[in-house]
């Protein structure tokens, strides 16, 4: 966003010096603007924001709960137009006042200004859901336990696509009604887990999220603008964990791939994690996950390998969990508060 503002300011400098006759100053401005636009071209930044709330009533027979969550992914991207590149190269190469004035005149509009067509784009998607969870545990004849659960939920999808010339770009305009599409419907998550071992210290599970496929196209405000599709397809994840009084070690893998939306990468995670417990008062966590679906053909930010760390504290019945994530493309943090009674 700062780069957008700087480019807009430099645009104004360019237009202000059009008729000044100072060729060297005009060339300096043109070269600087050219450098900025080339650095800005295909430069991409993404932000992910999520918020959730849940209540659960556990039971040895039938457990139930309520949950709601919202997740927003927004990507800002610069796109340099070939026309602007030609204009700025021509201006930067002029040698005298006459050549400068002729070059300037050839690109001026009726108001005597040069119009630049490079664009800034915000592409965003949001998934909001609310539902109930019902789970049941079955004690098997061999002494092991089988848990099954189902979560019917209401899901709303939203997309936002705001494209504007850099000179007119306003970062707070992206969620205007004309740039937004939305769709709502019911969906379903199901899962099962099997505890085994001499003390049920092993637990294997599988979950299917979003059993009913949903998709939503982004808005198209210009005939030449590309349309993107947000897909919410069934996601199958399998995992296994080993636990004791002092540790939990987990491994899980996505058996299906999540299709990218816009300037993202397809994702299919293989994850390993560990938690070490200090007398139930503190938990130290570390993990790593690798994207099996990452490829060099993605159109934006590549997702490869991510590292995570966390700390959990139990203080007078209140649980505080702090998490952090780092990769070559991402830096993230999370905070979770909880209590039980």
């Amino acid at each position: 966003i700062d780069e957008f503002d700087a480019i807009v300011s430099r645009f104004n400098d360019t237009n202000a010096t059009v008729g000044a006759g100072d060729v060297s100053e005009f060339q300096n401005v043109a070269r600087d603007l050219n450098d900025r636009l080339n650095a800005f071209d295909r430069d991409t930044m993404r932000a992910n924001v999520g918020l959730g709330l849940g209540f659960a009533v556990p039971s040895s027979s039938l457990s139930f709960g309520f949950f709601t969550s919202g997740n927003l992914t927004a990507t800002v991207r610069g796109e340099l137009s070939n026309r602007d590149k030609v204009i700025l190269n021509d201006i930067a190469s002029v040698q005298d006042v006459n050549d400068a004035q002729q070059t300037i005149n050839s690109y001026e509009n009726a108001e005597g200004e040069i119009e630049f067509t490079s664009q800034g784009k915000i592409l965003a998607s949001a998934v909001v859901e609310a539902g109930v969870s019902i789970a049941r545990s079955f004690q098997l004849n061999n002494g092991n336990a089988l848990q099954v659960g189902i979560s019917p939920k209401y899901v709303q999808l939203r997309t936002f696509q705001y494209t504007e010339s850099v000179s007119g770009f306003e970062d707070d305009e992206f969620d205007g009604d004309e740039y937004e599409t939305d769709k709502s419907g019911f969906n379903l998550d199901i899962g099962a887990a099997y505890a085994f071992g001499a003390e049920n210290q092993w637990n294997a599970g599988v979950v299917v999220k979003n059993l009913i496929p949903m998709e939503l196209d982004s808005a198209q405000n210009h005939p030449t603008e590309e349309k993107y599709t947000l897909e919410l397809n069934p996601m199958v994840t399998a995992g296994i964990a080993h636990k004791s009084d002092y540790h939990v070690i987990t491994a899980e893998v996505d058996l299906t791939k999540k299709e990218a939306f816009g300037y993202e990468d397809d994702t299919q995670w293989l994850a390993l994690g560990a938690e070490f417990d200090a007398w139930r008062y503190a938990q130290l966590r570390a993990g790593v996950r690798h994207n099996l679906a990452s490829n060099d053909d993605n159109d934006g930010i590549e997702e490869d390998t991510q590292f995570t760390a966390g700390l959990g504290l139990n203080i007078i019945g209140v649980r505080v969990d702090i998490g952090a994530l780092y990769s070559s493309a991402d830096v993230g943090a999370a905070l979770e508060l909880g209590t039980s009674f």
Side-chain angles (χ1 to χ4, degrees):
I1 303 302
D2 290 342
E3 188 62 25
F4 286 157
D5 291 340
I7 289 172
V8 170
S9 175
R10 221 48 178 145
F11 276 156
N12 294 333
D13 292 341
T14 304
N15 288 328
T17 57
V18 164
D22 187 343
V23 178
S24 61
E25 176 61 21
F26 196 84
Q27 285 180 322
N28 290 336
V29 173
R31 291 191 189 101
D32 179 59
L33 191 50
N34 201 358
D35 291 342
R36 289 178 183 272
L37 282 171
N38 278 287
F40 156 87
D41 187 32
R42 296 178 64 83
D43 193 19
T44 309
M45 188 197 76
R46 187 187 65 233
N48 301 82
V49 181
L51 183 66
L53 180 67
F55 298 93
V57 181
S59 169
S60 57
S61 55
L62 186 67
S63 302
F64 64 91
F66 165 79
F67 64 92
T68 181
S69 66
N71 293 278
L72 170 71
T73 299
T75 305
V76 187
R77 185 180 177 93
E79 296 178 348
L80 171 64
S81 71
N82 289 329
R83 178 181 179 275
D84 289 0
K85 198 167 187 177
V86 170
I87 292 174
L88 294 168
N89 283 332
D90 285 352
I91 291 173
S93 63
V94 298
Q95 300 298 319
D96 56 49
V97 173
N98 291 331
D99 288 343
Q101 195 61 58
Q102 290 177 2
T103 302
I104 291 166
N105 291 342
S106 67
Y107 292 117
E108 283 180 346
N109 60 19
E111 286 74 36
E113 294 184 340
I114 298 176
E115 292 183 351
F116 295 96
T117 58
S118 292
Q119 295 180 328
K121 175 179 285 187
I122 297 181
L123 185 65
S125 64
V127 179
V128 181
E129 59 183 32
V132 295
S133 293
I134 304 168
R136 177 84 184 267
S137 180
F138 299 91
Q139 195 70 29
L140 303 182
N141 292 333
N142 59 6
N144 298 332
L146 175 68
Q147 299 109 22
V148 295
I150 184 171
S151 295
K153 60 186 182 180
Y154 181 77
V155 179
Q156 183 181 68
L157 307 181
R158 289 178 178 267
T159 72
F160 311 86
Q161 183 172 206
Y162 171 68
T163 304
E164 182 57 82
S165 64
V166 178
S167 56
F169 187 88
E170 297 288 345
D171 54 39
D172 57 356
E173 292 288 329
F174 86 97
D175 57 351
D177 291 342
E178 66 270 35
Y179 309 117
E180 177 185 345
T181 63
D182 64 87
K183 174 188 283 186
S184 301
F186 286 94
N187 218 307
L188 192 67
D189 300 339
I190 58 174
Y194 177 64
F196 60 98
E199 299 178 354
N200 282 342
Q201 71 271 28
W202 290 95
N203 205 312
V206 62
V207 62
V208 183
K209 299 196 68 176
N210 305 311
L211 203 60
I212 304 170
M214 301 174 66
E215 63 179 41
L216 174 64
D217 290 334
S218 65
Q220 191 174 25
N221 295 295
H222 307 287
T224 59
E225 193 170 39
E226 185 175 358
K227 185 181 291 187
Y228 300 90
T229 301
L230 174 62
E231 299 183 26
L232 197 68
N233 292 319
M235 285 291 299
V236 184
T237 302
I240 190 168
H242 182 272
K243 65 179 181 179
S244 73
D245 290 339
Y246 300 104
H247 80 269
V248 178
I249 298 176
T250 67
E252 63 181 47
V253 61
D254 292 334
L255 303 181
T256 51
K257 179 173 66 174
K258 180 182 178 183
E259 298 292 336
F261 175 70
Y263 304 122
E264 301 179 48
D265 204 355
D266 295 340
T267 53
Q268 185 177 358
W269 296 108
L270 171 64
L272 301 173
E275 175 185 279
F276 302 95
D277 190 283
W279 303 283
R280 304 301 182 199
Y281 292 106
Q283 295 80 39
L284 184 64
R285 307 181 181 108
V288 60
R289 65 177 186 171
H290 178 71
N291 184 11
L292 302 175
S294 181
N295 61 78
D296 296 331
D297 298 328
N298 69 82
D299 196 28
I301 297 175
E302 181 181 4
E303 299 282 9
D304 192 8
T305 302
Q306 298 178 342
F307 300 91
T308 62
L311 175 67
L313 298 172
N314 294 313
I315 306 170
I316 318 176
V318 176
R319 189 182 74 249
V320 180
D321 293 303
I322 302 170
L325 177 148
Y326 175 80
S327 75
S328 60
D330 295 285
V331 176
L335 173 66
E336 182 174 323
L337 302 175
T339 186
S340 58
F341 48 87

